[in-house]
């Protein structure tokens, strides 16, 4: 496809396009997204699904939507199995005693109360562990030392994260007693990165944690000496019964097609170690501000702008699954969707997954995004994790790609706090979300449905 970025489809009223350009530029000076993010991280803070912070976040979100003047504010129930963090310690007993900075992986089982003490067996990658003979692993604590590679698009995460997902199950299958991994992160701080591990109730699993990058380096150096390394591990995080969280939804109603939705948003939950500023209070600030500024400056558009603050993305995309189930009979009214969930640094590209017939409107989006230094990344795009069920069901999606070069220094750590957000970069995000959301809400056509996964 050849994209003429200068073209502007003639379906849009020139006065509307002019208003949109003015709003885009005004948004670059807006502090609203930052203020919303500051409010969530200060007044609620950590909000692990099922924790007291979860309920506080739901109440915060309803109140904030109302304060911002959303036309309709709703909650929808999200059932989930709760996982609760406990104590977490790891100590090398021999040959060189040392305390490791560790955090449990979400959805893993606890060690016995007295902990687990065993020899460490080292694998460079998950694939090496998967290829190992059971006799190498039986009775031991496995350790995967693969380091995540830094990149603008964050693609190093996808490569390294398989180890976090599978090591507890692979270790159990080979008779190991526990598993540790090098944190999936790009920093050199002694702040371990948590994150979800795969869980299936019928597949055996062992207690598992992530150690900080410097501790992983140290452990590799110890292991190089070819003496047995003995580790004592205590992780008491555990499954903790049933809980019902809520998706919180704020609608700015459409003037002509109020039952058709442009779905934007973020996930409301966070891991519990920091205040979840980058992941994902920032996404909430960006998308809530975008909808609010469109509404206040241009007024209602043809379609409804729906901001969904998704529940429990982090250990189960429970909110996404519940929404898809609850809205099964009106999926085709979900015209286009996107989620902001990769921090708050500048957006450098737009990717879409829309029908060919909608590409002239994408051209119009690009002509308004170019001045923000945003390129087009093609029509094979995706979006955030919370849109996976709806995308698989056929909904058209877009992704505004943020620079993720430094995101994984902080992701899922105690260092994910508000000071990591640059308000100017965040405002550029808001400007871009305004452009895409407003043009989609005002377009005369849909963006296709039932698009292939390829
Ligand atoms: Zn996230």
């Amino acid at each position: 496809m050849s994209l003429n970025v200068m073209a502007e489809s003639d379906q849009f009223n020139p006065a509307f396009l002019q208003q949109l350009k003015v709003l885009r530029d005004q948004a670059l000076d807006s502090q609203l997204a930052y203020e919303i993010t500051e409010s969530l991280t200060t007044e609620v803070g950590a909000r692990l699904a099922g924790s007291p912070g979860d309920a506080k976040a739901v109440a915060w979100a309803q109140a904030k939507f109302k304060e911002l003047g959303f036309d309709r504010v709703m909650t929808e129930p999200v059932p989930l199995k709760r996982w609760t963090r406990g104590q977490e310690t790891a100590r090398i007993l021999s040959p060189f005693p040392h305390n490791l900075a560790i955090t449990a992986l979400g959805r893993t089982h606890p060690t016995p109360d007295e902990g687990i003490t065993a020899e460490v067996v080292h694998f460079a990658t998950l694939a090496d562990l998967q290829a190992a003979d059971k006799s190498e692993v039986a009775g031991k604590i496995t350790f995967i030392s693969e380091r995540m590679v830094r990149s603008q698009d964050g693609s190093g995460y996808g490569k390294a994260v398989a180890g976090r997902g599978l090591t507890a199950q692979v270790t159990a299958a080979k008779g190991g007693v526990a598993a540790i991994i090098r944190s999936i992160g790009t920093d050199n701080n002694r702040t371990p990165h948590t994150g979800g591990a795969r869980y299936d109730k019928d597949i055996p699993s062992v207690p598992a944690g992530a150690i900080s990058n410097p501790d992983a380096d140290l452990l590799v150096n110890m292991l190089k000496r070819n003496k047995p390394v003995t580790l004592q591990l205590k992780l008491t995080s555990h499954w903790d019964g049933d809980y019902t969280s809520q998706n919180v939804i704020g609608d700015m109603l459409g003037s002509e097609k109020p039952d058709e939705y442009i779905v934007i948003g973020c996930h409301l939950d966070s891991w519990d170690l920091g205040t979840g500023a980058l992941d994902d209070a920032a996404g909430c600030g960006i998308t809530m501000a975008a909808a609010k500024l469109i509404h206040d400056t241009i007024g209602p558009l043809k379609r409804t702008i729906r901001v969904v603050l998704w529940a429990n993305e982090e250990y189960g995309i429970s909110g996404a699954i519940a929404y898809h189930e609850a809205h099964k009979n009106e999926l085709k009214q979900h015209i286009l969707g996107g989620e902001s969930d990769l921090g708050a640094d500048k957006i450098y590209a737009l990717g879409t997954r829309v029908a060919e017939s909608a590409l002239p409107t994408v051209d119009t989006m690009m002509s308004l995004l170019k001045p923000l230094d945003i390129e087009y990344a093609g029509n094979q795009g995706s979006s955030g994790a919370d849109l996976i069920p709806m995308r698989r069901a056929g909904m058209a999606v877009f992704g505004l790609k943020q620079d993720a070069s430094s995101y994984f220094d902080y992701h899922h750590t105690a260092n994910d706090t508000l000071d990591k957000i640059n308000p100017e970069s965040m405002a550029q995000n808001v400007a871009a979300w305004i452009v895409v959301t407003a043009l989609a809400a005002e377009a005369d056509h849909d963006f296709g449905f039932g698009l292939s996964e390829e």
Side-chain angles (χ1 to χ4, degrees):
M1 183 203 65
S2 77
L3 183 80
N4 176 2
V5 295
M6 298 310 291
E8 286 177 6
S9 141
D10 53 14
Q11 65 174 309
F12 296 106
N13 178 326
F16 162 73
L17 286 177
Q18 186 54 33
Q19 279 181 307
L20 187 53
K21 286 175 188 169
V22 170
L23 175 57
R24 172 198 64 196
D25 296 342
Q26 285 174 348
L28 293 173
D29 293 324
S30 169
Q31 293 287 311
L32 182 58
Y34 187 83
E35 287 164 10
I36 294 168
T37 307
E38 189 266 354
S39 169
L40 178 54
T41 55
T42 305
E43 296 159 26
V44 179
R47 46 202 182 277
L48 185 66
S51 73
D54 180 327
K56 275 168 74 178
V58 168
W60 173 90
Q62 292 173 267
K64 188 60 71 178
F65 274 133
K66 286 175 187 161
E67 178 191 323
L68 292 171
F70 277 72
D71 297 320
R72 181 167 63 195
V73 181
M74 304 179 288
T75 59
E76 294 184 348
V78 178
L80 59 92
K81 299 280 180 206
R82 173 166 48 197
W83 182 85
T84 300
R85 190 178 301 281
Q87 279 178 277
E88 30 202 32
T89 60
R91 180 167 175 74
I92 304 286
L93 300 181
S94 66
F96 309 109
H98 173 77
N99 290 329
L100 304 173
I102 192 168
T103 187
L105 298 184
R107 318 210 290 177
T108 54
H109 293 301
T111 59
D113 286 346
E114 68 276 19
I116 287 174
T117 301
E119 187 182 334
V120 176
V121 57
H122 177 204
F123 299 96
T125 64
L126 172 67
D128 291 346
L129 169 60
Q130 287 170 319
D133 193 81
K134 281 186 174 177
S135 63
E136 286 178 70
V137 174
K140 294 186 177 153
I141 297 170
T142 60
F143 167 47
I144 295 174
S145 64
E146 181 175 8
R147 185 168 183 128
M148 180 190 158
V149 176
R150 187 186 297 275
S151 66
Q152 185 190 38
D153 65 0
S155 56
Y157 183 68
K159 183 168 178 291
V161 81
R164 191 185 79 200
L166 290 173
T167 189
Q169 292 181 352
V170 175
T171 298
K174 293 179 187 288
V177 293
I180 59 173
I181 60 166
R182 177 192 286 275
S183 283
I184 313 300
T186 46
D187 59 297
N188 285 316
N189 297 315
R190 290 193 71 200
T191 43
H193 297 238
T194 189
R198 190 185 289 189
Y199 176 77
D200 305 270
K201 70 176 176 11
D202 299 327
I203 298 179
S205 182
V206 294
I211 61 174
S212 77
N213 270 314
D215 285 297
D217 292 340
L218 183 68
L219 182 52
V220 167
N221 287 340
M222 287 186 191
L223 289 157
K224 275 185 200 160
R225 267 100 176 145
N226 291 320
K227 291 180 188 163
V229 173
T230 305
L231 177 65
Q232 183 184 61
L233 201 59
K234 188 169 182 186
L235 299 170
T236 67
S237 303
H238 57 278
W239 290 101
D240 193 19
D242 295 319
Y243 183 80
T244 302
S245 184
Q246 308 285 330
N247 288 326
V248 186
I249 299 169
D251 284 338
M252 290 298 195
L253 296 175
S255 56
E256 290 181 21
K257 299 171 182 171
D259 295 334
E260 291 190 2
Y261 311 112
I262 307 303
V263 182
I264 63 175
C266 61
H267 62 84
L268 185 55
D269 68 309
S270 77
W271 285 107
D272 50 333
L273 305 177
T275 61
L278 293 169
D279 188 13
D280 183 23
C284 299
I286 290 163
T287 54
M288 291 168 88
K292 160 80 172 166
L293 293 172
I294 291 169
H295 178 266
D296 286 7
T297 310
I298 304 182
L301 302 181
K302 290 175 184 167
R303 295 190 173 100
T304 292
I305 297 172
R306 168 162 287 183
V307 183
V308 185
L309 276 46
W310 304 96
N312 192 28
E313 186 270 347
E314 294 291 4
Y315 68 90
I317 61 168
S318 312
I321 291 166
Y323 186 96
H324 175 237
E325 187 62 31
H327 296 268
K328 253 186 179 160
N329 296 329
E330 47 169 37
L331 288 181
K332 286 189 176 171
Q333 292 164 227
H334 295 75
I335 301 300
L336 183 67
E339 181 176 25
S340 174
D341 185 19
L342 204 61
D345 277 345
K346 280 194 173 162
I347 292 167
Y348 65 92
L350 168 70
T352 57
R353 183 180 291 267
V354 302
E356 292 275 327
S357 57
L359 289 175
T361 295
V362 175
D363 285 2
T364 306
M365 291 173 181
M366 284 313 308
S367 74
L368 271 73
L369 291 173
K370 272 275 171 189
L372 301 173
D373 289 327
I374 296 172
E375 304 288 331
Y376 188 54
N379 199 30
Q380 305 294 319
S382 191
S383 192
D386 290 305
L387 293 181
I388 289 172
M390 301 271 281
R391 176 170 62 78
R392 289 193 176 146
M395 183 174 71
V397 297
F398 67 94
L400 281 163
K401 296 169 184 288
Q402 294 158 297
D403 185 337
S405 303
S406 67
Y407 179 69
F408 291 99
D409 290 346
Y410 313 115
H411 178 251
H412 295 182
T413 74
N415 277 336
D416 180 2
T417 48
L418 185 68
D419 52 290
K420 310 307 183 304
I421 292 175
N422 175 331
E424 272 182 41
S425 301
M426 183 171 236
Q428 185 257 12
N429 278 252
V430 176
W433 279 86
I434 284 171
V435 167
V436 175
T437 303
L439 286 167
E442 192 69 2
D444 290 331
H445 57 81
D446 64 27
F447 288 76
F449 196 86
L451 303 160
S452 84
E453 280 288 299
E454 301 316 314

